[in-house]
Amino acid sequence: MALIDIEPHEIRQRMINDLQRALKKPVYKRHWAMVIDQAKCVGCTACTTACVAENHLPPGVVYRPVVETEHGTYPNVHKTFLPRPCMQCDDPPCVKVCPAHATWKRTDGIVEIDYNRCIGCRYCISACPYSARTFDKGYFYTDGTPEIMPYEKEPNFEYGKEWPRTDRESSPIGNTRKCTYCIHKVEKGMLPACVTTCIGDATYFGDANDPKSLVAELLSSPRARKLREEEGTKPTTTYLV
Amino acid sequence: MKKFIKVIVWLIAVIGFGVGLYGLYLRFTTGHRMTDYGSYIPWGLWVVFYIYFIGLSAGSFLLSTLVYVGKIERLEKIGKLALFTAFGCLVAALFSIWLDLGHMARVGNVLFHMNLNSMMSWMGILYSAYFAIILIELWFALRIDLIETANTGRGGSAGFAKFLTFGSTDTSAESKSRDHAKLKVLGIIGIPLAIAFHGGVGSLFGVIQARPHWNSGLTPIAFLIGALASGGALLTAVVYIWGPDKNKQKLNEMMKFLGRIVLALVLFDFLLEIAEFLVGLYSVAPAERLPLEAILNGPYWYVFWIIHFALGVVLPAVILFSTAVPKGRPDKNVGGAIAFACLLVAVTFIAVRFNIVIPAQINPEIPGLEYAFSGPGLKFTYLPTTMEWLVSLCITSFGILIFLIGEKLLPIVKNDNREVA
């Protein structure tokens, strides 16, 4: 349990309220954070699918896979699930290695990529200890069929801009891509797609700088852990184990 | 025999380039879709060829500084050949890494939006400086010969030489000594530059904390020694075929000298390799062990054991020990044997570069990630596709063609130093 006194049906409303409060603050005073309760995650991968749909992710690009691990031997078997979005590290190794300043840490905590500046060298992918960055090679799901379906060419809205997929050369094709915490939705007052689709309310989102927010409370939980903390990357995404 | 080898090299380069053009066509029309690297193994064969060629270039260039800075008399006549070999390899290396980019047209961003925390930005700066220094050095090294060719030669070669003199006509002894002084200064600048950029390529890998197989202080040093060994070996083979051979005795002595340098470098490089393997295999951490186990005992074990160890270390070492090391007058076949051993070292070094780049990426950073979501490139295995090989063939042939055409058109080795002018 998350050690907080909140009814399940109140969780979403509270996160929405937290979000509205955060949006009233200047950008530099926010610090977006995601908390994933592994005890509540059932491994349905609805978040993965929602993310693919929201960001129009092509084949070979995934922002939030759910890693399954089996523990023990029959009859004592358990499974744990680890949804793995971008960790939005406070000391991101991907930013340090980018040769073109095409990725940076925003003041609100998001690690952003400028698709129009990225040269596609994939150095950041090599440097990320979470494999959170993927390379868009320009595939379509309807490749090999008589026609690439129009819905695959529709733009996504990452970082609040339009990114259509009308040809195979223009960005974000040829770029590194990664989870943005759906910042384009968040800045419009909506929760990230993975949060709204989670069937067990296992993913929380909000402003870590706001002591009254739900995520700020959860971050202080004794169950809170960061992934591969020993890397020194100071991940923002936090797990409740 | 040498004429025959030259014809064979021409044939290989022309056919290779022609066939490879199809790969290039696929690269420009299908982008990265026909390649096997992807999101979890982001760097593939073209990165391998890039570090291979850049190593050959750095090694060749550093040996040229022995001529212009070290003033080693017996190597005097191969300075230009070393510089031009370094130039051909540099062009091939840059071509390879350029084709690897997701957005080739944006390559300038490395300089326009430079990030001095990134080793890759430093590569942009250092390569630009290195490219400039090679061209300037080549010009000063060739200036007098170009003027002579322009004045005495015939046909296209003379016209080309005249164009390249850029109006310079002074062939006096003073101007020659001025050129030598400039070459010395350029060579002196070139030494730290070549060490910096190739050590820098090693650091580009070495600083990646997420990949323990690369993340070692030894990586930049291993890159440098590997560059010297492979570049020195390539140059030695090139010298035998295209170098000054009028005086057989002198050529064989020079080959023995170069052969001994290459032998020492190959053995030193192998020592570094042993150190890296023994220390790494002592570890129980999968990220340390897996890449090494894959190299030694994985499905592509022959890349290490046969291509690198047997053909790239043991066989050349045996040949070089028996031909380059013994004292006394060299017999007439020594040069050929040394050149063959060095060619083996230079060609098989691609296996070392392959084993640096690929195995480091096969260990899932989060165990089980490969089963979490499927799609092209979401896997931790890699086997270059035909298209990738064709592009690499094209790049390699292009580098060889630059060398062959330049060697024909430019007075890299003066005709009066050649047995067959």
Side-chain angles (χ1 to χ4, degrees):
Chain A
M1 283 296 104
L3 297 179
I4 54 163
D5 187 18
I6 184 165
E7 292 296 320
H9 65 274
E10 292 172 356
I11 291 175
R12 291 191 185 212
Q13 191 52 53
R14 182 158 171 204
M15 285 196 290
I16 293 280
N17 294 344
D18 292 349
L19 194 62
Q20 301 296 348
R21 217 167 39 249
L23 288 173
K24 286 186 187 132
K25 297 199 291 186
V27 176
Y28 68 90
K29 287 195 172 168
R30 306 169 196 157
H31 195 283
W32 301 119
M34 191 172 276
V35 178
I36 299 167
D37 191 339
Q38 283 189 276
K40 287 169 87 181
C41 178
V42 297
C44 68
T45 69
C47 56
T48 314
T49 310
C51 174
V52 169
E54 173 61 35
N55 297 299
H56 296 193
L57 302 184
V61 177
V62 62
Y63 291 174
R64 193 184 158 103
V66 179
V67 180
E68 289 187 22
T69 314
E70 205 170 285
H71 308 270
T73 47
Y74 181 82
N76 302 311
V77 183
H78 294 276
K79 259 191 173 182
T80 52
F81 305 98
L82 181 104
R84 201 257 25 232
C86 175
M87 298 295 126
Q88 315 288 2
C89 306
D90 281 341
D91 205 348
C94 51
V95 167
K96 209 169 168 183
V97 300
C98 176
H101 273 308
T103 183
W104 61 91
K105 179 84 178 164
R106 293 165 34 144
T107 51
D108 61 1
I110 304 295
V111 175
E112 180 167 344
I113 300 172
D114 181 347
Y115 288 150
N116 287 329
R117 191 183 281 187
C118 168
I119 63 171
C121 67
R122 314 187 291 288
Y123 199 9
C124 54
I125 303 183
S126 279
C128 174
Y130 307 101
S131 293
R133 289 179 167 238
T134 47
F135 182 47
D136 188 342
K137 289 167 82 173
Y139 295 112
F140 289 98
Y141 280 100
T142 45
D143 270 338
T145 64
E147 193 193 349
I148 303 295
M149 287 291 111
Y151 59 79
E152 287 209 71
K153 297 178 182 173
E154 289 293 309
N156 72 61
F157 300 96
E158 287 172 358
Y159 309 109
K161 295 180 192 128
E162 278 192 36
W163 303 101
R165 254 181 122 70
T166 41
D167 60 63
R168 298 210 195 230
E169 280 84 39
S170 307
S171 288
I173 290 170
N175 290 120
T176 291
R177 300 180 64 179
K178 65 166 202 74
C179 156
T180 66
Y181 274 178
C182 281
I183 194 68
H184 58 285
K185 289 186 76 186
V186 170
E187 285 178 341
K188 301 279 181 209
M190 293 178 275
L191 291 167
C194 52
V195 177
T196 49
T197 47
C198 181
I199 59 164
D201 281 334
T203 298
Y204 306 88
F205 182 81
D207 177 16
N209 280 354
D210 176 1
K212 289 186 207 149
S213 73
L214 178 56
V215 287
E217 272 186 56
L218 293 171
L219 285 171
S220 66
S221 158
R223 289 171 56 213
R225 300 282 185 278
K226 312 270 183 173
L227 199 57
R228 298 187 69 177
E229 207 163 3
E230 72 283 1
E231 294 282 334
T233 51
K234 302 189 188 107
T236 299
T237 302
T238 304
Y239 294 89
L240 300 178
V241 294
Chain B
M1 183 66 180
K2 282 188 193 175
K3 248 190 160 172
F4 175 71
I5 295 173
K6 282 182 190 176
V7 171
I8 294 285
V9 176
W10 267 101
L11 269 179
I12 292 174
V14 171
I15 295 171
F17 187 69
V19 175
L21 274 179
Y22 181 60
L24 208 58
Y25 164 76
L26 291 175
R27 167 67 187 86
F28 281 101
T29 51
T30 67
H32 294 263
R33 295 194 301 284
M34 290 178 74
T35 60
D36 197 45
Y37 53 78
S39 293
Y40 294 160
I41 295 195
W43 286 344
L45 193 67
W46 301 336
V47 175
V48 172
F49 270 83
Y50 152 65
I51 63 167
Y52 172 64
F53 279 119
I54 211 71
L56 292 177
S57 180
S60 238
F61 179 83
L62 283 170
L63 283 181
S64 82
T65 61
L66 286 181
V67 181
Y68 297 117
V69 181
K71 300 269 180 221
I72 294 180
E73 212 173 291
R74 53 184 139 180
L75 297 181
E76 198 193 338
K77 285 177 177 162
I78 62 161
K80 287 174 277 182
L81 200 56
L83 275 178
F84 200 67
T85 307
F87 176 72
C89 291
L90 175 65
V91 172
L94 295 180
F95 192 22
S96 190
I97 201 62
W98 180 64
L99 289 172
D100 189 68
L101 296 181
H103 285 278
M104 293 184 284
R106 297 181 194 163
V107 65
N109 286 1
V110 173
L111 290 174
F112 303 142
H113 301 288
M114 200 179 287
N115 172 12
L116 293 180
N117 277 323
S118 169
M119 283 315 298
M120 210 179 271
S121 277
W122 279 103
M123 290 299 97
I125 302 167
L126 295 171
Y127 286 148
S128 309
Y130 177 58
F131 202 92
I133 257 201
I134 283 201
L135 285 183
I136 299 169
E137 245 192 85
L138 261 176
W139 191 77
F140 279 114
L142 287 170
R143 193 184 66 89
I144 291 206
D145 299 332
L146 282 171
I147 296 169
E148 278 172 13
T149 313
N151 293 338
T152 58
R154 270 173 291 166
S157 187
F160 188 53
K162 193 169 173 54
F163 168 71
L164 288 180
T165 58
F166 298 118
S168 171
T169 51
D170 190 358
T171 55
S172 62
E174 297 89 72
S175 75
K176 198 171 179 179
S177 65
R178 269 203 306 274
D179 284 356
H180 276 274
K182 280 173 190 156
L183 281 168
K184 187 170 181 178
V185 173
L186 288 167
I188 290 171
I189 299 170
I191 295 173
L193 187 61
I195 293 174
F197 89 71
H198 203 66
V201 182
S203 308
L204 191 148
F205 290 88
V207 297
I208 301 185
Q209 188 186 317
R211 316 270 178 183
H213 186 59
W214 293 335
N215 189 215
S216 152
L218 204 59
T219 308
I221 309 300
F223 265 67
L224 266 179
I225 304 302
L228 282 167
S230 60
L234 178 72
L235 183 66
T236 309
V238 164
V239 162
Y240 182 71
I241 310 290
W242 285 276
D245 59 354
K246 194 155 195 185
N247 187 334
K248 270 270 161 62
Q249 178 67 22
K250 271 198 163 166
L251 174 69
N252 279 337
E253 275 168 15
M254 183 161 63
M255 289 299 288
K256 275 185 77 168
F257 178 67
L258 288 169
R260 281 200 291 269
I261 295 179
V262 171
L263 176 63
L265 288 167
V266 166
L267 293 179
F268 187 45
D269 188 61
F270 192 60
L271 178 72
L272 291 180
E273 217 168 9
I274 293 174
E276 187 197 328
F277 278 49
L278 290 182
V279 172
L281 286 171
Y282 198 83
S283 169
V284 287
E288 288 277 359
R289 279 190 78 89
L290 260 178
L292 294 172
E293 280 172 359
I295 291 170
L296 299 175
N297 203 21
Y300 311 116
W301 59 272
Y302 51 85
V303 175
F304 177 82
W305 287 111
I306 296 182
I307 304 177
H308 171 52
F309 183 64
L311 297 176
V313 178
V314 177
L315 186 57
V318 169
I319 297 174
L320 290 173
F321 256 119
S322 55
T323 52
V325 175
K327 289 206 165 65
R329 276 171 71 88
D331 74 63
K332 65 182 171 60
N333 294 326
V334 151
I338 293 172
F340 174 69
C342 287
L343 185 69
L344 273 179
V345 173
V347 172
T348 59
F349 216 78
I350 190 75
V352 177
R353 299 314 194 192
F354 195 88
N355 277 337
I356 288 173
V357 176
I358 309 302
Q361 306 175 80
I362 61 165
N363 180 47
E365 284 157 331
I366 297 172
L369 188 63
E370 66 272 40
Y371 308 113
F373 197 78
S374 64
L378 296 176
K379 60 191 179 66
F380 287 92
T381 56
Y382 173 74
L383 187 64
T385 60
T386 311
M387 177 262 198
E388 285 175 75
W389 281 113
L390 282 175
V391 169
S392 295
L393 177 68
C394 185
I395 291 162
T396 309
S397 310
F398 182 66
I400 300 173
L401 278 177
I402 286 183
F403 175 82
L404 291 174
I405 293 169
E407 186 270 337
K408 276 264 175 246
L409 290 179
L410 298 170
I412 305 276
V413 176
K414 284 210 284 190
N415 281 343
D416 53 5
N417 284 325
R418 282 203 168 127
E419 189 184 30
V420 184

